[in-house]
Amino acid sequence: MLPDHFTLTNGQNIPSIGLGTWQLDGDKGYNAIKHALQNGYKMLDCAFAYTNQELVGRAIKESGIAREDIFVVDKLANTWHSAAEENLKLTLESLGVEYLDLWLMHWPSPLNHHGNDPKTPKLADGSVDFEKDWDYVKTWKTMVELYRKYPEKLKSIGVANFGVKELEAIIEATGVVPVVNQVELHPSCNQQQLFKFCEDHDIQLVAYSPLGSIGSPLLQNKDLAGIAARNRVTIPQCLISWGVANGWPVIPRSSSFERIDQNLQIVDLSKDDLNEITIIGSQNRQRFVTAPWHSFADI
Ligand SMILES: NC(=O)c1ccc[n+]([C@@H]2O[C@H](COP(=O)([O-])OP(=O)(O)OC[C@H]3O[C@@H](n4cnc5c(N)ncnc54)[C@H](OP(=O)(O)O)[C@@H]3O)[C@@H](O)[C@H]2O)c1
């Protein structure tokens, strides 16, 4: 049986499947989130940078589901590393919630808070405008301080898009290990080395873009289609099941009621099928999410 949750080092239970909320905007996005909550989703993956927090908050409120039955994840935006406390306050206000179950540093990439763009400020030469005299270690120290200052507002803190080098740096500087590292994770980007490091340090990986994001070639892969057909499910269901079977929560996004429902129905794939999915991924290695403010150490 596949688990319906994983337990973090602080004892908190994180659901095995959550709804990604990136690009869930307007009435369609609001209806998708409300539908997901009313039909069994127990986790929402949100971010200040998605600029849809009020809509998410409205969907939470109007879903009629009790706040304590939803695991709400949100993320500190890159341009707010030097103003993290204010970002937290705005996030809680926009979502209309008293606390976050998990607050992540979205990227290890502090960008100019007073730059020429709220998301990707640029310098005159077109390069990314990073925050001066600041780095992600300083940001993690601030997040740790806020976590200690506001235990009623932050149940746990973690990071996203961190590699081994960045994890080592924040742990060494503070002695505080993030409970979660949320990264791109699917068969084509299986994060083997990072998984080993996180396992050794009790950091729970969470899989973002688990289907390969928008226009994913994984969804057209003939070998994956074969595995899906013999298990009478779809490729997305295979990919989500593969993640949960491997030991991490998965946060697929969809704006369609049908696909939202489908993504929650995971299956216990055989060891052979799980291995085959891993092999197909290693033969088609690809990272789908990249950003101008960060270079990943691998693929
Ligand atoms: N921490 C980070 O930096 C970071 C980065 C990227 C993503 N994330 C998080 O991870 C979440 C998921 O990643 P993602 O949004 O990039 O991509 P994803 O969940 O891998 O894929 C989403 C795409 O797959 C389609 N889809 C979903 N279910 C499907 C199904 N059953 N059958 C066919 N197509 C399906 C969706 O289209 P339809 O809407 O039409 O169904 C959408 O185009 C995000 O929403 C966000 O919350 C975090």
Side-chain angles (χ1 to χ4, degrees):
M1 262 270 280
L2 292 172
D4 64 3
H5 68 271
F6 296 92
T7 302
L8 303 177
T9 40
N10 63 358
Q12 244 183 330
N13 286 336
I14 182 167
S16 298
I17 301 180
L19 181 75
T21 67
W22 179 47
Q23 294 191 336
L24 291 186
D25 301 310
D27 286 348
K28 198 169 179 189
Y30 162 81
N31 287 325
I33 297 165
K34 192 165 94 170
H35 175 87
L37 292 174
Q38 290 176 336
N39 288 276
Y41 278 73
K42 298 196 178 314
M43 171 160 64
L44 294 178
D45 181 68
C46 318
F48 186 86
Y50 299 163
T51 59
N52 61 357
Q53 287 176 312
E54 280 175 16
L55 173 152
V56 175
R58 198 156 46 81
I60 292 176
K61 194 165 170 223
E62 293 170 10
S63 70
I65 306 293
R67 168 66 187 92
E68 60 271 25
D69 293 332
I70 311 169
F71 192 101
V72 179
V73 183
D74 211 289
K75 310 186 195 86
L76 171 65
N78 296 340
T79 48
W80 289 78
H81 282 216
S82 59
E85 183 160 0
E86 203 183 335
N87 192 255
L88 174 63
K89 188 168 172 274
L90 288 172
T91 290
L92 293 170
E93 277 170 15
S94 309
L95 286 174
V97 298
E98 299 287 320
Y99 66 93
L100 298 176
D101 295 277
L102 176 60
W103 193 40
L104 305 177
M105 191 189 316
H106 204 150
W107 291 83
S109 316
L111 305 186
N112 188 353
H113 184 54
H114 300 289
N116 64 359
D117 186 82
K119 282 192 192 170
T120 315
K122 297 268 178 68
L123 294 170
D125 65 3
S127 62
V128 175
D129 186 4
F130 288 93
E131 189 76 286
K132 287 196 180 57
D133 304 320
W134 201 275
D135 62 25
Y136 60 83
V137 174
K138 222 166 168 175
T139 310
W140 184 243
K141 284 183 183 162
T142 311
M143 288 179 72
V144 170
E145 275 167 27
L146 292 172
Y147 171 66
R148 290 183 176 143
K149 185 172 170 191
Y150 298 119
E152 73 292 357
K153 292 185 183 173
L154 292 174
K155 300 290 171 201
S156 56
I157 52 172
V159 295
N161 296 299
F162 270 49
V164 170
K165 184 189 84 174
E166 289 98 3
L167 288 169
E168 281 175 338
I170 59 169
I171 295 169
E172 194 189 317
T174 62
V176 180
V177 181
V179 293
V180 155
N181 184 18
Q182 185 191 108
V183 294
E184 178 170 347
L185 183 47
H186 47 71
S188 288
C189 180
N190 67 14
Q191 305 278 12
Q192 263 180 336
Q193 278 181 338
L194 186 60
F195 179 75
K196 176 81 181 73
F197 180 91
C198 289
E199 201 176 29
D200 290 346
H201 291 80
D202 285 330
I203 301 168
Q204 175 68 61
L205 280 186
V206 171
Y208 81 59
S209 302
L211 311 180
S213 205
I214 303 158
S216 170
L218 291 172
L219 305 195
Q220 312 302 327
N221 184 290
K222 288 201 175 58
D223 299 321
L224 288 177
I227 299 173
R230 69 173 174 263
N231 285 281
R232 297 174 190 218
V233 291
T234 63
I235 293 179
Q237 286 171 301
C238 282
L239 296 173
I240 298 164
S241 305
W242 176 87
V244 176
N246 277 314
W248 49 77
V250 179
I251 47 170
R253 163 184 57 100
S254 177
S255 53
S256 131
F257 288 1
E258 194 194 330
R259 292 193 283 272
I260 286 171
D261 296 345
Q262 184 195 110
N263 293 346
L264 206 52
Q265 305 305 317
I266 54 175
V267 281
D268 222 342
L269 297 169
S270 68
K271 274 212 168 77
D272 284 352
D273 284 344
L274 291 171
N275 283 340
E276 205 178 322
I277 294 174
T278 305
I279 292 166
I280 295 167
S282 4
Q283 291 165 344
N284 296 277
R285 283 170 65 77
Q286 194 173 351
R287 188 186 277 282
F288 298 106
V289 177
T290 55
W293 49 75
H294 185 67
S295 313
F296 288 102
D298 53 7
I299 39 176

